[in-house]
Amino acid sequence: LAGWHDQGLIFEGVSNEVTHFKGGSAAQSSLIQLFDIILGVLHDSPFFKEMREYMPVAHAAILNNMEQQMANNNLYEFVMGKKFVSYSHATGRPDFAKTHEANFSDEHVTDTPLRAIYKKCVGELGKFRNKHFIIASKYVTQMCPAATKGTGGEDLKAFLLHARDETKHNAT
């Protein structure tokens, strides 16, 4: 499941070229990436786009098309009524990033019904990412207690927490 990203793999009798494959990852799910695109959750890691290479071509094409369409029709900006600024480690991680559970149920009295529904949708995606973090961490550490990398080759905890934090950023 870890793939052959670093050392590569030669398929004897097929080709003499070394091929490199990252292992399985939830980022290969076209549905989760579609939710991110529609809800305007931006990820600064190129990993999500790299994982589109492992999807059926038609799925990756739909995601790329939707991403282009949503770039000029940002749902976050429409619903929240403010310019979107992407979440980045460079600006410093907010306090919620230090915990394994992020609170995705923040509702404010001034929220319009549309804003509250949008936040609920983003919140559900965030809850999924919280659960995924727990499950993926347990799975990887049970399979190999010394492992720090996920099946996709990324630093497991940092990557999953950052993806979750980028989602939380859209709920504020």
Side-chain angles (χ1 to χ4, degrees):
L1 286 174
W4 301 277
H5 184 54
D6 295 330
Q7 73 276 16
L9 185 68
I10 296 175
F11 290 96
E12 292 179 4
V14 176
S15 172
N16 291 329
E17 288 189 38
V18 177
T19 55
H20 300 273
F21 297 105
K22 291 193 177 207
S25 169
Q28 293 171 0
S29 167
S30 52
L31 187 58
I32 299 301
Q33 287 206 31
L34 184 63
F35 289 150
D36 281 339
I37 292 167
I38 290 171
L39 293 171
V41 176
L42 303 177
H43 298 286
D44 60 11
S45 172
F47 182 74
F48 290 94
K49 287 188 180 177
E50 288 172 18
M51 290 296 98
R52 292 181 190 174
E53 295 173 19
Y54 297 88
M55 294 177 184
V57 174
H59 292 204
I62 289 169
L63 294 175
N64 292 332
N65 187 18
M66 286 295 295
E67 199 168 54
Q68 287 176 344
Q69 296 300 317
M70 297 302 287
N72 296 322
N73 301 294
N74 188 299
L75 186 61
Y76 175 88
E77 292 177 7
F78 175 76
V79 172
M80 302 299 272
K82 57 185 174 182
K83 185 75 177 152
F84 184 79
V85 177
S86 65
Y87 177 87
S88 171
H89 281 295
T91 60
R93 295 176 63 149
D95 290 339
F96 65 78
K98 296 177 185 172
T99 66
H100 296 299
E101 286 288 328
N103 180 5
F104 287 93
S105 61
D106 294 340
E107 288 190 34
H108 303 286
V109 179
T110 58
D111 282 349
T112 65
L114 182 60
R115 189 178 288 187
I117 290 169
Y118 172 81
K119 284 183 173 185
K120 183 158 179 57
C121 290
V122 172
E124 292 302 314
L125 183 58
K127 287 177 187 177
F128 168 81
R129 285 203 160 103
N130 272 337
K131 294 292 184 192
H132 179 257
F133 171 81
I134 293 165
I135 291 167
S137 296
K138 282 182 184 177
Y139 174 78
V140 170
T141 56
Q142 283 177 359
M143 296 304 287
C144 181
T148 59
K149 300 214 182 264
T151 55
E154 300 286 317
D155 180 274
L156 177 70
K157 290 184 178 181
F159 176 76
L160 294 177
L161 287 174
H162 187 64
R164 192 243 6 238
D165 295 345
E166 288 169 326
T167 305
K168 170 69 177 169
H169 178 67
N170 270 51
T172 57

